[in-house]
Amino acid sequence: MKNMKKIIVLAVSLLVAGAAVCFGQNESAIKGRIIDRKSGEPVGFATVAVLRADSSVVAGTMAEEDGRFELKAAQGPSILKVALVGYKDIEKDINVSGQILNVGELALEEDLLALEGAVVQAQLPRTELKGDAVVTNISGSVLEHAGNAQDLMAKVPGMIRHNGKLEVIGRGEPVYYINGRRVLDPDELRSLMSEEVRSIEVVNNPGAGYGGEIKSVVRIKTIRRQGEGFSFALTSEAKKYLKTKDFDPSWTVLDLNYRKGGVDFIGKLTYWDNHGYQCSDIWEEAYIPGTLYSQEGTMDVRQHAGGLQALFGINWQINENHSVGFQVQNKTQLFGNYKETVEEDVFMNSLLTDRLASVNDCNMLKSGGWLGNVYYSGKVEKLEIEFNTDFQTNDESNRTVIEESSQVEPRHIKSDVDNSIAMLASKLVFKYPVGKGQVQAGVEETYARTWQQHNIDFAEIAPSESKIKENTIAGFAEYSLPLKFGQFSAGVRYEHVDFKYNDISGTNDLDRKQDNWFPSASFSTKIGQVGISASVSGKTMRPGFWKLSNEVQYHSRFTYQTGDPTLKNEKYIDAGLNVNWNWLTFSATYENIRDAIAQSGYPYGDDGVTMLKYVNLDSPINVFSAYLVAAPTKGCWSPQYTVGVRKQFFDLEVKDIRETTGTRTVGYNKPMFVVQLNNSFRFKKSWQLSADYMFQSKMSYGAAEVTANRNLLELSVQKSFLKDDALTVRLSAYDILNCTPDNAFVDYGQFKIAQNNDYKSPAIILRVSYHFNTASNKYKGTGAGDSVKIRF
């Protein structure tokens, strides 16, 4: 405990000293490497400080994952001090001169007494700005006991939970990376415990190194564990729905690792068994010349799906500068059912004409595929090299039977849908110091194929079969330059896309080529204790492959749906600003969106049927978002309070023959307000309590209106047991207020639809995790083809 207090005092002193010497003169560099005295292995994340004779701290930093550190300090006789929980402090007399001082290897010796009694009291500011990211330091804070990575990110500044998914405020769902490797499996975020996380970086305007379609990125860095032999982690979660009384086994993940020398054998088994519920009040209105059709009723949806996923990989860290590896995983859905029951009254010109009752029963016949990665990561003198090759396949078949009773015309409709996807992608990236900065450049090539076949025994809808071939070649370059007053980065990404669409009729065949340039620039600086960063970039969002299909889907007697292979890409201009002081963080973003993709509705025939179709909107959408986060720490209490606003400016002109001009304007300009109050309490004996509340107001989002406020309250209690907190039990009460409706309204001109949705989300959740001899994943494959994967 005494050792811990010294580290905390030292770390606080570093913050003060860092501000004092921000613009210091006559400084020289000090570098070295920290190792474990017993094993000789590198030790990461130690606090390194330069002290004067009176013990005042004049400079400091945190060692990197590989134990290396570098910092600058004013010239003169000094003391170099290294501290890390579980090790004895070391001090070394140094003389800082005009030359680079290399202190070599510093060996830390374990402090067993400190390990036995250490209780971390997180008193340091957890959030700071580093380059393009808002960085939250997890290790050593109350957040390191938040639960799994998903629980943790819900408490990170700039992120909120929406409909069970995590989003970056104003930027939607992000792309995740763990230690530079793209996360494609959500189970990885479930099984990664917060105690294994070093820091989380939220990037709300990624640069040229990322695909032109990636709007936000969350980078997770884990703590490097030493040691060899066998290790595993088992995490399981079960859920009891309070409104439906159903029990959900949810998911179980088993992570396995065997390390010998520089080789890791990696394995993972995942089983999931999930339910989903939706109860909705629905209203639709369609105007056909002379007749106003409308339907009012209810919809009840029940979903149940389960499956098994297996992963195997080998990672070989040849030496400090070179590593290679591969991973391959298979995902098989064992069962899946979607059942939708709709009851509604049908009106013509306000007169009741029919009562419909339909049951849509969809069963998964088969679903499964493969995903793999091969990588090399190396360093030759100053040149860093990363090479990745990824592949992905998936085949799926579904059968849907619709039984529709009617006072006018009952219907029995059966349809079969078969889908197949395949992708191969490679990416090569180089990093090299040029001048005082660093150049990062790379090339990426992706081949994507999709095939879809739809057979339906309904005369009004023709069977369909379509194929898509898309080849993408991309190149990018980015230069980062540290300056006396900050850091500047600029880059550009070029993408050439060859797109071919073919359908069974041959009438909708399409062959087009697209060339796009995406520039980006960012600047960050620190003035005293205030960190500031600003960025601007150009991006695009290509439509998901399912939006490009001309398959016509039968939803109900009055609603069909289809896609459009001629859809254009959405184009974005993004600008962002981040400001951080102590425990306060402010972020603001501006977005200009052209050719935005949204669903539109139009009459299909003259009997009241409406066709929903994806279209490009004619008018641009301008969106401004801003939020302020306060994350102080008061003893065992660690609050994080967020207030934010999202405001879009968008007027849509819709066709409506009832107007004298044939059109009218619909405004989607309502702002969204967000309030998030997260509270964590860390007590002795490894107890932790959390009370999290979020308010989200009504708003306009794209070409739709969210018509109800949301209030989400979650309470949880967590206790760890055994040595090193190896066993953790977490009990949560989710959506206690039962006040998270998802209500929406859209106006397509002659067609309008409103839907009030209740997802029956209140639940009691039990999660148990056990970790044995945990070893961090040394796999360094970063993946390729990211911008295509998110579109499947």
Side-chain angles (χ1 to χ4, degrees):
M1 189 67 179
K2 182 179 179 181
N3 182 268
M4 172 58 66
K5 290 180 178 178
K6 289 194 295 182
I7 293 174
I8 293 174
V9 172
L10 177 60
V12 173
S13 301
L14 288 179
L15 291 173
V16 178
V21 301
C22 184
F23 299 100
Q25 302 297 318
N26 299 321
E27 294 181 337
S28 295
I30 305 167
K31 65 180 182 179
R33 186 166 180 254
I34 301 168
I35 63 171
D36 183 285
R37 180 180 297 277
K38 184 177 181 180
S39 67
E41 293 286 334
V43 177
F45 316 127
T47 301
V48 183
V50 178
L51 291 75
R52 290 299 184 220
D54 61 357
S55 296
S56 61
V57 179
V58 296
T61 188
M62 178 180 286
E64 295 297 327
E65 183 179 0
D66 62 359
R68 298 179 187 275
F69 66 88
E70 184 171 345
L71 72 165
K72 291 184 178 181
Q75 297 178 14
S78 304
I79 300 170
L80 184 68
K81 185 170 183 176
V82 180
L84 182 64
V85 175
Y87 290 89
K88 295 179 181 178
D89 295 353
I90 58 174
E91 294 185 357
K92 180 182 178 67
D93 292 329
I94 60 174
N95 185 26
V96 184
S97 62
Q99 304 297 320
I100 296 176
L101 177 61
N102 190 339
V103 298
E105 291 185 340
L106 302 175
L108 291 177
E109 183 179 348
E110 285 189 0
D111 186 346
L112 298 179
L113 292 177
L115 280 172
E116 290 175 2
V119 177
V120 177
Q121 296 292 335
Q123 299 177 2
L124 301 179
R126 298 193 309 264
T127 303
E128 57 186 327
L129 298 183
K130 287 186 179 179
D132 60 349
V134 177
V135 181
T136 301
N137 298 302
I138 306 303
S139 181
S141 77
V142 174
L143 289 183
E144 73 176 350
H145 303 287
N148 63 15
Q150 290 180 329
D151 300 322
L152 175 62
M153 287 186 289
K155 300 176 183 292
V156 166
M159 299 193 71
I160 60 173
R161 200 189 293 269
H162 178 69
N163 285 347
K165 295 183 178 180
L166 291 166
E167 295 183 357
V168 175
I169 297 177
R171 310 295 291 166
E173 195 171 354
V175 173
Y176 298 99
Y177 289 83
I178 297 179
N179 297 329
R181 175 177 51 83
R182 170 74 186 275
V183 176
L184 292 175
D185 178 10
D187 293 326
E188 192 166 0
L189 299 176
R190 293 171 179 165
S191 59
L192 176 64
M193 303 306 294
S194 55
E195 289 85 355
E196 303 299 316
V197 177
R198 172 193 173 192
S199 64
I200 292 180
E201 304 177 359
V202 178
V203 184
N204 56 24
N205 199 1
Y210 298 94
E213 302 181 358
I214 297 177
K215 296 174 62 179
S216 61
V217 166
V218 172
R219 299 190 294 240
I220 302 172
K221 294 186 178 180
T222 62
I223 297 173
R224 181 177 181 177
R225 305 296 185 189
Q226 306 301 329
E228 296 192 341
F230 176 71
S231 64
F232 74 89
L234 178 65
T235 305
S236 185
E237 181 177 287
K239 183 183 298 184
K240 176 72 172 180
Y241 289 97
L242 300 180
K243 297 182 73 173
T244 65
K245 308 300 182 183
D246 288 332
F247 175 76
D248 193 339
S250 204
W251 53 267
T252 297
V253 180
L254 174 63
D255 282 292
L256 304 165
N257 197 92
Y258 178 75
R259 180 175 297 163
K260 183 66 175 178
V263 180
D264 282 72
F265 296 89
I266 306 163
K268 177 186 285 189
L269 289 172
T270 303
Y271 175 76
W272 75 96
D273 184 343
N274 298 314
H275 292 80
Y277 308 94
Q278 178 182 333
C279 290
S280 306
D281 295 322
I282 53 178
W283 172 85
E284 297 179 14
E285 179 182 276
Y287 181 74
I288 309 298
T291 306
L292 181 65
Y293 292 87
S294 62
Q295 301 93 47
E296 297 179 8
T298 61
M299 178 173 67
D300 181 81
V301 176
R302 288 180 173 261
Q303 303 177 68
H304 187 199
L308 188 65
Q309 185 167 323
L311 177 147
F312 176 74
I314 296 177
N315 189 79
W316 180 24
Q317 188 163 332
I318 303 170
N319 54 41
E320 190 177 72
N321 293 323
H322 301 278
S323 60
V324 295
F326 79 89
Q327 284 187 354
V328 61
Q329 65 182 42
N330 174 264
K331 186 173 184 178
T332 301
Q333 187 168 331
L334 302 176
F335 58 88
N337 174 260
Y338 172 94
K339 192 170 185 178
E340 175 185 290
T341 303
V342 178
E343 295 181 354
E344 57 185 353
D345 294 332
V346 180
F347 299 88
M348 293 176 59
N349 295 328
S350 301
L351 297 177
L352 180 65
T353 59
D354 198 1
R355 284 199 169 122
L356 296 177
S358 66
V359 177
N360 182 329
D361 195 357
C362 177
N363 286 282
M364 183 275 299
L365 302 180
K366 70 172 183 177
S367 178
W370 294 86
L371 182 69
N373 168 262
V374 178
Y375 88 93
Y376 163 76
S377 178
K379 187 175 184 180
V380 181
E381 295 184 349
K382 296 182 180 181
L383 178 64
E384 297 179 35
I385 306 169
E386 286 186 2
F387 174 76
N388 284 266
T389 292
D390 281 32
F391 73 89
Q392 182 176 356
T393 67
N394 195 79
D395 295 295
E396 182 176 308
S397 296
N398 296 295
R399 171 164 294 172
T400 301
V401 177
I402 299 176
E403 298 285 354
E404 198 172 74
S405 65
S406 164
Q407 297 175 351
V408 179
E409 180 194 355
R411 289 178 178 176
H412 172 89
I413 299 172
K414 184 180 73 173
S415 64
D416 291 318
V417 177
D418 298 290
N419 294 287
S420 178
I421 64 170
M423 184 212 70
L424 178 65
S426 293
K427 185 177 183 179
L428 179 63
V429 180
F430 299 97
K431 296 179 183 179
Y432 193 80
V434 175
K436 295 183 178 180
Q438 184 184 61
V439 169
Q440 175 179 280
V443 293
E444 185 173 10
E445 191 161 4
T446 305
Y447 300 92
R449 304 289 185 265
T450 72
W451 171 82
Q452 184 180 68
Q453 185 178 61
H454 180 218
N455 293 308
I456 184 169
D457 60 355
F458 182 55
E460 295 182 18
I461 297 178
S464 62
E465 182 179 352
S466 61
K467 297 179 181 179
I468 293 176
K469 294 182 179 180
E470 186 178 276
N471 300 334
T472 303
I473 300 175
F476 65 90
E478 192 168 31
Y479 184 62
S480 299
L481 178 65
L483 305 169
K484 289 184 178 180
F485 50 85
Q487 179 166 319
F488 175 76
S489 177
V492 65
R493 183 181 180 92
Y494 165 75
E495 292 183 358
H496 170 81
V497 180
D498 187 356
F499 176 86
K500 293 182 180 180
Y501 177 88
N502 302 99
D503 70 12
I504 193 171
S505 68
T507 58
N508 296 307
D509 288 357
L510 182 66
D511 188 344
R512 68 182 179 191
K513 294 175 174 58
Q514 298 172 309
D515 295 276
N516 299 106
W517 293 87
F518 309 110
S520 62
S522 65
F523 175 75
S524 61
T525 187
K526 192 168 186 179
I527 304 173
Q529 294 187 25
V530 179
I532 303 172
S533 69
S535 61
V536 63
S537 66
K539 299 184 183 299
T540 191
M541 182 65 72
R542 295 186 175 88
F545 288 107
W546 73 92
K547 296 179 181 179
L548 299 170
S549 172
N550 68 343
E551 168 199 342
V552 177
Q553 299 177 359
Y554 182 98
H555 283 303
S556 72
R557 182 178 300 258
F558 295 100
T559 307
Y560 301 169
Q561 181 177 327
T562 190
D564 185 356
T566 67
L567 280 175
K568 295 182 289 186
N569 301 334
E570 295 182 337
K571 301 177 183 65
Y572 292 79
I573 298 175
D574 289 344
L577 173 69
N578 297 310
V579 181
N580 173 255
W581 174 81
N582 204 343
W583 42 264
L584 287 174
T585 303
F586 172 79
S587 289
T589 59
Y590 166 77
E591 235 179 359
N592 174 265
I593 311 170
R594 291 167 293 157
D595 296 323
I597 297 174
Q599 273 195 332
S600 183
Y602 60 89
Y604 187 73
D606 56 2
D607 55 357
V609 175
T610 296
M611 178 67 77
L612 299 180
K613 186 177 182 179
Y614 290 102
V615 299
N616 292 108
L617 302 178
D618 295 330
S619 304
I621 303 176
N622 294 289
V623 183
F624 172 77
S625 300
Y627 64 86
L628 177 67
V629 180
T633 298
K634 303 293 183 181
C636 67
W637 174 41
S638 181
Q640 183 211 293
Y641 296 158
T642 302
V643 292
V645 62
R646 177 191 182 276
K647 174 73 167 80
Q648 73 173 34
F649 303 86
F650 176 49
D651 292 324
L652 177 65
E653 188 175 89
V654 297
K655 295 181 180 179
D656 193 338
I657 60 176
R658 291 168 291 186
E659 302 291 327
T660 55
T661 60
T663 63
R664 58 184 171 86
T665 300
V666 180
Y668 293 101
N669 301 291
K670 185 176 295 183
M672 174 193 74
F673 297 99
V674 171
V675 177
Q676 190 165 265
L677 307 175
N678 292 338
N679 300 272
S680 296
F681 302 88
R682 180 69 177 172
F683 303 109
K684 294 181 179 180
K685 306 289 185 181
S686 299
W687 281 95
Q688 179 160 314
L689 300 177
S690 296
D692 301 331
Y693 169 78
M694 187 190 73
F695 166 80
Q696 181 178 296
S697 72
K698 304 173 185 179
M699 63 172 167
S700 299
Y701 195 92
E705 292 281 350
V706 176
T707 58
N709 298 328
R710 295 168 54 87
N711 293 271
L712 176 63
L713 177 63
E714 181 177 9
L715 302 178
S716 64
V717 58
Q718 179 175 299
K719 175 75 171 77
S720 296
F721 305 87
L722 307 181
K723 184 180 178 180
D724 299 325
D725 291 341
L727 176 65
T728 300
V729 180
R730 181 183 180 88
L731 185 66
S732 303
Y734 181 78
D735 193 13
I736 297 172
L737 302 177
N738 186 27
C739 193
T740 56
D742 186 21
N743 300 351
F745 172 77
V746 290
D747 185 345
Y748 300 128
Q750 291 176 218
F751 175 68
K752 301 176 184 178
I753 183 170
Q755 196 162 303
N756 298 336
N757 304 310
D758 177 6
Y759 294 109
K760 308 290 185 182
S761 55
I764 299 297
I765 304 171
L766 176 66
R767 184 191 305 144
V768 179
S769 60
Y770 179 76
H771 294 242
F772 171 75
N773 192 29
T774 307
S776 67
N777 193 336
K778 289 188 176 183
Y779 195 83
K780 297 181 180 179
T782 57
D786 292 343
S787 59
V788 172
K789 293 172 186 174
I790 61 177
R791 296 167 56 213
F792 281 138

